[in-house]
Amino acid sequence: MADLGLMGMPFPTEYGGAGLDYHSYAIGIEEISRGSGGLGTIVAAHTSLAGNMLYEFGDEHQKEEYLTPLAAGDDLGAFALSEAGAGSDVPAMTTTGEKDGDEYVINGGKLWTSNGSVADTVTVFAKTDPDAGNKGISAFVVRPEEDDGFIVENTEHKLGDKGCQTAELRFDDLRLHEDRLIGDEGDGFVQALKTLNGGRISIAARGVGIARAAKEAAADYATDREQFDQPISEFQAIQHKLADMDTKLQAAKLLMHKAADLKMRDEDYIKEAAQAKLYASEVSREVANEAIQVHGGYGYTKDFPVERYYRDAKLNEIYEGTSEVLRNTIAQQLLD
Amino acid sequence: MDFGLNAEQRQIRDTVAEFVDEEVVPAPPRSTTLTTTPTIWSTRWPIWG
């Protein structure tokens, strides 16, 4: 994948990336996720979250030292934000980063960190001023192989997305030189929100890719499977299912490209990215569900891939902004 | 707004799709021409038989 430039699609070539526009990046994630939702998560978290944190907010040294090997595919990245008591409520995090001379001492832990157990570079968020609320959160570059005190506590046993390692992390007096701080102290919350906003386009692409795989599997199966002496695709009930699946899929794809288009034009795309991610996530689950229905009993077994599409699709409605949080975001944009 | 992909974007899509089909997509399911119900169905789940 590194040889094809798939690990740094949207980043400039000077930082080891492929220099692709955001439509192309979304298409790339869509195609990868068509094959594997887990691989889609790996690449999206690596690129849109870890990579983008460094590209958008890192200094030149951090871009050369940490972004370039990520974009070239030599290193793998992760983004550690969520905690046991801080999911959608990011400011509730309890991980701290206490200044000690020219170092920060990180203590605490993170949950649901995609790639967290296998990453070479992890962007970690911690409270450097616990009394300052949103403005007391800062982001750091952590290198698990170099930094003592980075501990992988566990990897999750999940319903789906099994191709991607999801880790529980602990930081035990993890000491970081101040040159690991990304941007300025206290900027972490805004950095996280902006990064997650861009990341929603890639998660929409993951949803579109999974939905495509499910629809294509359903169409193929309906053509092959015969009941009552004819392929089941001859029945209007099946035809209508396929028609609805493709119509929803095409609408999700258009929302994805609309958000990508606005991002490329440097226009505000908060609402459109949230809508693309929300709709593509729900569509991927609905289309995968219908694909199982078209397959009947076979679809409920592991002999066919549609059960995997269903399990992988469900995650889209939860991570990088739940569907409920995204509806809040869209409503706020409409009412502001 | 034009959502049609340009030549470069189509080429990127095709390259990634070829890679995914060759390297990522698992082997095909056990059968793609299911015109009969396998015997095992009637033994595992009689209600379906």
Side-chain angles (χ1 to χ4, degrees):
Chain A
M1 292 181 72
D3 290 343
L4 285 174
L6 297 180
M7 300 307 283
M9 287 186 265
F11 302 122
T13 52
E14 65 186 284
Y15 296 122
L20 302 186
D21 63 51
Y22 236 72
H23 287 300
S24 300
Y25 173 48
I27 294 164
I29 294 288
E30 175 190 330
E31 289 296 337
I32 290 167
S33 302
R34 178 177 62 79
S36 165
L39 193 55
T41 299
I42 290 171
V43 178
H46 163 90
T47 308
S48 292
L49 301 184
N52 253 338
M53 274 294 295
L54 293 163
Y55 180 61
E56 295 289 344
F57 308 111
D59 59 29
E60 199 54 38
H61 166 74
Q62 290 169 340
K63 288 178 185 174
E64 288 176 10
E65 190 74 16
Y66 308 118
L67 172 62
T68 300
L70 286 180
D74 296 328
D75 283 358
L76 187 66
F79 175 89
L81 178 67
S82 296
E83 298 183 4
S88 298
D89 183 10
V90 173
M93 73 170 59
T94 58
T95 295
T96 56
E98 190 176 340
K99 193 80 190 282
D100 181 20
D102 61 357
E103 292 181 325
Y104 288 90
V105 184
I106 312 293
N107 279 289
K110 298 289 175 182
L111 272 186
W112 322 129
T113 308
S114 299
N115 302 337
S117 57
V118 289
D120 302 284
T121 293
V122 184
T123 54
V124 173
F125 294 81
K127 279 192 169 169
T128 46
D129 183 353
D131 298 324
N134 293 351
K135 295 178 181 172
I137 297 171
S138 303
F140 300 90
V141 178
V142 175
R143 300 277 290 175
E145 287 292 314
E146 302 167 16
D147 302 327
D148 290 337
F150 181 98
I151 298 152
V152 178
E153 284 278 20
N154 184 32
T155 53
E156 306 293 343
H157 298 283
K158 300 172 294 182
L159 174 70
D161 205 49
K162 292 178 183 288
C164 177
Q165 295 260 316
T166 304
E168 176 182 357
L169 306 176
R170 182 161 59 85
F171 315 119
D172 187 6
D173 284 335
L174 171 64
R175 301 187 80 88
L176 302 172
H177 189 268
E178 60 189 1
D179 67 7
R180 298 287 192 85
L181 177 69
I182 301 174
D184 293 326
E185 209 176 277
D187 285 352
F189 182 70
V190 172
Q191 292 169 349
L193 290 187
K194 288 182 175 175
T195 300
L196 288 168
N197 191 39
R200 282 168 191 153
I201 298 173
S202 58
I203 299 303
R206 179 181 182 273
V208 169
I210 293 171
R212 263 188 60 206
K215 182 209 70 174
E216 289 166 8
D220 287 347
Y221 183 86
T223 306
D224 286 344
R225 172 69 166 168
E226 291 186 5
Q227 289 288 270
F228 304 102
D229 298 322
Q230 62 179 0
I232 62 171
S233 60
E234 298 293 321
F235 295 108
Q236 193 178 50
I238 300 297
Q239 293 173 2
H240 283 189
K241 283 187 189 300
L242 295 173
D244 287 345
M245 292 159 79
D246 190 61
T247 303
K248 289 176 180 177
L249 167 59
Q250 297 306 324
K253 197 173 167 80
L254 286 173
L255 283 173
M256 174 189 84
H257 279 298
K258 181 176 181 183
D261 196 71
L262 290 171
K263 180 173 171 58
M264 285 168 56
R265 295 169 192 266
D266 285 330
E267 295 179 23
D268 184 67
Y269 65 100
I270 293 174
K271 179 170 76 76
E272 288 75 12
Q275 288 174 321
K277 197 265 190 185
L278 168 68
Y279 191 69
S281 297
E282 295 189 346
V283 160
S284 65
R285 193 245 310 139
E286 290 167 9
V287 170
N289 183 52
E290 285 294 73
I292 292 174
Q293 196 68 21
V294 169
H295 280 68
Y298 287 109
Y300 202 62
T301 72
K302 289 187 179 293
D303 293 327
F304 286 84
V306 286
E307 58 83 31
R308 174 168 60 88
Y309 301 147
Y310 185 82
R311 292 185 288 103
D312 285 351
K314 181 58 200 171
L315 181 59
N316 257 33
E317 297 180 298
I318 298 170
Y319 70 175
E320 295 197 33
T322 65
S323 291
E324 290 75 18
V325 164
L326 295 180
R327 284 189 165 89
N328 289 346
T329 301
I330 295 163
Q332 285 164 5
Q333 292 290 310
L334 290 172
L335 298 171
D336 276 352
Chain B
M1 202 162 3
D2 179 13
F3 284 110
L5 302 182
N6 63 32
E8 184 184 359
Q9 290 163 341
R10 284 199 300 273
Q11 185 182 4
I12 290 162
R13 179 196 60 194
D14 294 344
T15 300
V16 182
E18 185 179 347
F19 165 78
V20 168
D21 287 335
E22 289 181 2
E23 304 289 342
V24 179
V25 175
R30 64 183 179 193
S31 170
T32 54
T33 53
L34 297 168
T35 55
T36 58
T37 303
T39 308
I40 194 169
W41 277 40
S42 60
T43 54
R44 286 167 65 189
W45 293 303
I47 195 169
W48 288 359

